[in-house]
Amino acid sequence: MMKIGDPLEKCDETCAEIQKEIPRPKFVLLMTCITRTLAFERMRISRDIIRKYSSVFPTFAGFSCYGEQIGRMHCNQTLVSVVIGE
């Protein structure tokens, strides 16, 4: 499985990229792959990730969903963001 680096650093990078493209986001909907949710829980960083989002986005909501699967094997760890701004 591909290693993407430190999830907290990637969260900061993601938030910065979103702010660069949409400087004043009003609402962000985050759909994260269930394997990311489970990994963050195992790493005990779920609250840290949520804190980072809440410090950057005035209003956001998120939920875990299933990503791509090959048969019974879950093979993706994605985050999809829908950002609505001015």
Side-chain angles (χ1 to χ4, degrees), residues 37-86:
T37 301
L38 296 173
F40 294 167
E41 286 178 7
R42 274 193 314 274
M43 297 167 73
R44 299 177 195 256
I45 61 170
S46 297
R47 290 186 189 272
D48 296 327
I49 297 282
I50 292 168
R51 235 180 267 113
K52 286 180 179 290
Y53 290 136
S54 67
S55 72
V56 174
F57 305 124
T59 307
F60 73 97
F63 61 93
S64 297
C65 55
Y66 290 95
E68 289 88 16
Q69 288 187 214
I70 299 173
R72 299 183 122 211
M73 186 175 89
H74 204 54
C75 59
N76 197 345
Q77 294 188 23
T78 57
L79 171 68
V80 176
S81 304
V82 177
V83 183
I84 300 169
E86 291 182 355

